[in-house]
Amino acid sequence: MTNSRSGEPRTPRGGPPGCCDVVTVPARQGLEAVDILRRGEAGDAMGPVLHDGGCTLGFLVPPGTAAGWDVPGSTCRETGGCGLHLPPTSEASIPEPPVEGSGWLLPPEDADLATDPAALREALGEAQRLIDVADSCR
């Protein structure tokens, strides 16, 4: 088991292989969070990310995350282990996004990985602070 940015163990995936919950955020905040996660120490805590072509991004997180999700401006949809599934992939085959009308911003490369909820929570907070500072300069 790996550790999250907070030093706590990463949330175990549990449930059927490849199942996940989805944290949905506004695209601007989500894109900032993706950048923060990819360039930070928690780069290995980054899982697949969906986009809807416009207003929102969806971070795939371990099942059960929704029960304790409390980040303002975002929602976490629980799938109960039977909603979103990521089938095993190979480099030649990227699965269709599990949500109709969406596409992959970051496609799954390993069906066992999901975004670490603790690292995502921290990145979303930092992203919102960056957005607030940028908007105050206008």
Side-chain angles (χ1 to χ4, degrees):
M1 178 179 295
T2 60
N3 287 337
S4 70
R5 222 179 210 183
S6 66
E8 296 175 12
R10 285 183 69 172
T11 306
R13 292 203 43 130
C19 68
C20 52
D21 288 354
V22 178
V23 172
T24 305
V25 299
R28 184 175 179 201
Q29 183 183 19
L31 289 170
E32 288 288 346
V34 167
D35 286 344
I36 291 164
L37 287 167
R38 291 186 80 185
R39 72 172 182 254
E41 297 170 10
D44 64 336
M46 187 74 188
V49 179
L50 296 162
H51 68 85
D52 67 1
C55 301
T56 60
L57 293 184
F59 292 83
L60 277 56
V61 294
T65 299
W69 192 256
D70 60 353
V71 177
S74 68
T75 60
C76 187
R77 185 175 47 181
E78 184 175 334
T79 64
C82 60
L84 298 174
H85 294 274
L86 293 177
T89 63
S90 68
E91 289 182 27
S93 171
I94 296 177
E96 288 295 316
V99 177
E100 189 174 328
S102 67
W104 293 113
L105 178 66
L106 296 173
E109 294 179 6
D110 185 336
D112 291 333
L113 292 181
T115 299
D116 180 342
L120 179 58
R121 181 177 280 112
E122 187 176 323
L124 289 172
E126 184 177 340
Q128 189 58 55
R129 289 187 295 278
L130 289 170
I131 290 168
D132 290 346
V133 168
D135 288 350
S136 71
C137 293
R138 291 183 183 180

